[in-house]
Amino acid sequence: EETPAATAAPRGRALYDAHCAVCHGSTGRGDGPGARVVRQPMRDFSDPAAMQPVSDRFLFEITKKGSSQFGRSNAMPAWGMKLSDGEIHDVVAHIRSLARRAPPPPGRKDKP
């Protein structure tokens, strides 16, 4: 039987791709085409060190209420009127998976 986290990330990816990737980028680096309009740098979701201090609760709340509610850019809307709490939890699970799939550091060569 699959764990909730295992099933949430694929659902969250589809939601993330539809609603978040335009600014945050498909890999979570904050390099989507919409990122140019945001005057504040975005957190790199693919960087484990950058994501470690960020709680799931904060990711949930900022997604649900919008970034302006947390003293940040008003470019990120409140998704709580469009996405259910369960869908937002799925998006958070996907965001967490981006840091776990970070590519190896440059110069590292894996042998076959």
Side-chain angles (χ1 to χ4, degrees):
E1 184 176 323
E2 292 187 39
T3 64
T7 58
R11 288 189 307 254
R13 180 184 179 121
L15 292 165
Y16 177 92
D17 287 346
H19 303 293
C20 312
V22 68
C23 290
H24 290 283
S26 62
T27 61
R29 292 194 171 114
D31 60 356
R36 290 185 292 257
V37 301
V38 181
R39 293 189 175 115
Q40 296 176 345
M42 291 184 212
R43 186 177 306 272
D44 182 349
F45 296 154
S46 69
D47 180 354
M51 292 304 294
Q52 192 277 328
V54 181
S55 71
D56 287 355
R57 184 71 186 163
F58 177 76
L59 291 172
F60 176 87
E61 293 293 330
I62 199 168
T63 303
K64 183 171 183 160
K65 298 176 182 176
S67 57
S68 65
Q69 297 299 307
F70 297 88
R72 297 176 181 198
S73 167
N74 64 357
M76 185 174 128
W79 290 103
M81 296 298 287
K82 181 153 179 103
L83 302 176
S84 71
D85 285 0
E87 289 171 322
I88 295 171
H89 282 295
D90 292 347
V91 169
V92 169
H94 175 66
I95 290 169
R96 287 294 181 201
S97 76
L98 294 172
R100 289 190 294 271
R101 288 189 284 162
R108 179 178 163 194
K109 307 225 182 214
D110 289 67
K111 294 182 181 179

